[in-house]
Amino acid sequence: NKNLQSEVFLVDEDFSDIFQFEVLSGDLQEVVTDKGKIALTSGHARKLFGYESPIGKVITKFPEKINFTVSAIIADPPVNSSMQFDGIFSWKNRPDYLTADRAGNWYNTFMEAYVKLEKGAAPQALTDKTEPFVKKNFLPEDELSTIILIPMAKWHERVSENSKFINLLMVIAITILIIAGFNFINLNTAQLLLRVKEVAIRKVLGSGRNQIVLQFILESMLIVFAAMAMALLLARLSFPLVKEIFDIELHSVWLT
């Protein structure tokens, strides 16, 4: 008798072919092809059924009072994904107002359509082929209607507005690096007299110009790598504090 507000997606049969969400139990393909079945994310299933196995359990969608059988459990979408949902079921379960005779015309574009192109396919070539479709289904006087393909990375950037934050952080990072560079030069300049004596002694002992230059380069590289290691460690330790202050979930990705 638990009531929860759930974000549930209506999807077609190709959903499991295009998106590789991890299936923890059950059959996702069965969910997206059959009527009356639903797949839940592991987090939402735990809210509904605790730690019991939800496969085969029945949940009711209100206010229509339509029953759905839980047939698959999938992993929670990553926090940085542009697709956030609690469950999915087949397009065959769509409400009556979305049937073909009631959904309206082609201007009723409230749904998102994802297309997976073959490797090496030209997106512009596919876009050009949609022109006859637009001319056939849209009014002749509507010359502005067109179909465009947006790469998934750009779509994610548009939805999340990450570009604004990335550009801001890049400006801050570059500014910090410039200041750090000037400080590094000033520190080396302050030690100039000591280093001049060191260089003079090394030359007397037989060191060449290239050896001395190599020593300075290696010393600078060691300092840079040590600073980088400390910066990465401090950044990783600051994740909980950033989450608490700004309510942002951060994840570190070292290799891609």
Side-chain angles (χ1 to χ4, degrees):
N1 296 319
K2 291 183 179 180
N3 296 322
L4 287 178
Q5 185 75 24
S6 306
E7 184 75 17
V8 184
F9 283 2
L10 279 165
V11 301
D12 62 18
E13 297 180 4
D14 295 325
F15 179 85
S16 57
D17 296 328
I18 294 180
F19 300 105
Q20 305 300 319
F21 289 101
E22 182 184 1
V23 180
L24 303 179
S25 60
D27 187 352
L28 181 58
Q29 189 60 34
E30 180 182 341
V31 172
V32 299
T33 55
D34 295 347
K35 191 174 182 180
K37 296 182 179 179
I38 189 171
L40 298 175
T41 62
S42 58
H44 204 64
R46 193 172 298 116
K47 291 179 181 178
L48 284 167
F49 302 104
Y51 289 93
E52 298 179 11
S53 174
I55 300 297
K57 300 289 182 64
V58 176
I59 61 176
T60 305
K61 180 178 180 293
F62 288 93
E64 299 90 344
K65 295 184 179 180
I66 302 175
N67 292 331
F68 291 93
T69 302
V70 180
S71 300
I73 300 297
I74 57 180
D76 294 332
V79 294
N80 61 340
S81 173
S82 54
M83 300 181 66
Q84 297 294 329
F85 54 87
D86 300 316
I88 56 175
F89 47 57
S90 171
W91 178 250
K92 296 178 181 178
N93 297 291
R94 64 188 181 278
D96 292 338
Y97 61 82
L98 289 181
T99 55
D101 57 339
R102 297 182 59 186
N105 53 37
W106 286 103
Y107 292 94
N108 199 357
T109 54
F110 60 91
M111 291 176 291
E112 297 175 359
Y114 297 88
V115 181
K116 185 177 182 179
L117 302 184
E118 292 287 345
K119 187 176 181 180
Q124 187 57 45
L126 178 59
T127 302
D128 296 339
K129 292 180 181 180
T130 62
E131 292 183 6
F133 173 84
V134 174
K135 292 179 180 179
K136 177 182 177 182
N137 295 285
F138 289 78
L139 296 175
E141 60 270 19
D142 188 0
E143 299 179 354
L144 298 178
S145 294
T146 183
I147 294 177
I148 60 174
L149 299 180
I150 304 176
M152 195 66 188
K154 289 187 177 181
W155 174 249
H156 177 74
E157 180 181 304
R158 177 181 296 187
V159 173
S160 61
E161 297 184 344
N162 277 347
S163 58
K164 297 179 181 178
F165 297 103
I166 291 174
N167 293 334
L168 176 61
L169 291 175
M170 283 182 62
V171 171
I172 295 174
I174 292 173
T175 303
I176 293 175
L177 287 175
I178 293 174
I179 295 173
F182 280 117
N183 287 336
F184 185 71
I185 294 172
N186 289 335
L187 289 173
N188 281 340
T189 304
Q191 295 178 348
L192 179 61
L193 294 177
L194 295 176
R195 302 313 298 263
V196 167
K197 294 180 180 179
E198 177 189 341
V199 171
I201 294 173
R202 292 196 59 187
K203 281 190 173 183
V204 171
L205 295 176
S207 297
R209 174 186 175 88
N210 292 337
Q211 291 176 317
I212 296 174
V213 171
L214 180 62
Q215 175 192 346
F216 287 158
I217 292 175
L218 291 177
E219 287 179 358
S220 299
M221 291 180 63
L222 287 174
I223 293 174
V224 169
F225 283 120
M228 184 183 299
M230 291 181 62
L232 292 174
L233 178 61
L234 291 174
R236 185 65 185 86
L237 294 175
S238 68
F239 280 9
L241 183 62
V242 172
K243 180 180 179 181
E244 181 179 349
I245 297 176
F246 299 102
D247 194 23
I248 299 175
E249 190 76 30
L250 297 177
H251 292 271
S252 56
V253 181
W254 306 109
L255 297 174
T256 57

